[in-house]
Amino acid sequence: MADKGPVRVLISSPIPLKVGMRLKTTGMTRKVDDLGRIVLPIEIRRTFNIIEGDLLEISVSGENVILSKIEDYCIFCGSDADLISHQEKLVCLVCCKTLGMNV
């Protein structure tokens, strides 16, 4: 496969990116390991409040890879549809039914 040049990875807030939005360069670089993983620098994780176990949505826009933190998701399956609060945790209706919860 021919090298197409650098691929940008953006970490975005829940606010959608606008066409023509300029990227903020941090000067930080990370190598991809043999399993395709990268480590997000602690400064980035702190800025975006990303902790172990958080879900990140992966999107592609042109030559850019965009990581977006998913704020609201089911604690069992990760779905973001039809969520209800149960004992201060979010659970989707499908998992509620599977668990036999009355909703």
Side-chain angles (χ1 to χ4, degrees):
M1 177 180 253
D3 184 13
K4 295 184 177 183
V7 174
R8 299 180 194 275
V9 177
L10 309 173
I11 302 177
S12 69
S13 64
I15 301 169
L17 296 173
K18 297 178 182 171
V19 174
M21 182 180 280
R22 295 184 56 91
L23 303 178
K24 181 178 179 183
T25 303
T26 64
M28 292 182 248
T29 61
R30 293 293 185 264
K31 288 190 176 188
V32 177
D33 73 9
D34 60 335
L35 295 176
R37 299 175 297 199
I38 61 168
V39 174
L40 297 176
I42 189 68
E43 297 87 355
I44 298 293
R45 295 192 314 253
R46 285 181 181 152
T47 299
F48 289 93
N49 195 28
I50 297 171
I51 60 172
E52 183 180 346
D54 281 348
L55 288 178
L56 297 178
E57 178 182 51
I58 303 168
S59 307
V60 176
S61 176
E63 295 292 317
N64 298 313
V65 176
I66 303 167
L67 301 177
S68 302
K69 182 176 175 181
I70 304 298
E71 297 288 343
D72 296 329
Y73 55 89
C74 175
I75 61 167
F76 296 109
C77 71
S79 171
D80 61 356
D82 301 321
L83 299 172
I84 63 165
S85 181
H86 177 71
Q87 296 181 354
E88 299 181 17
K89 301 291 183 186
L90 294 175
V91 183
C92 72
L93 290 178
V94 173
C95 287
C96 286
K97 290 178 184 174
T98 302
L99 296 168
M101 296 169 50
N102 294 327
V103 290

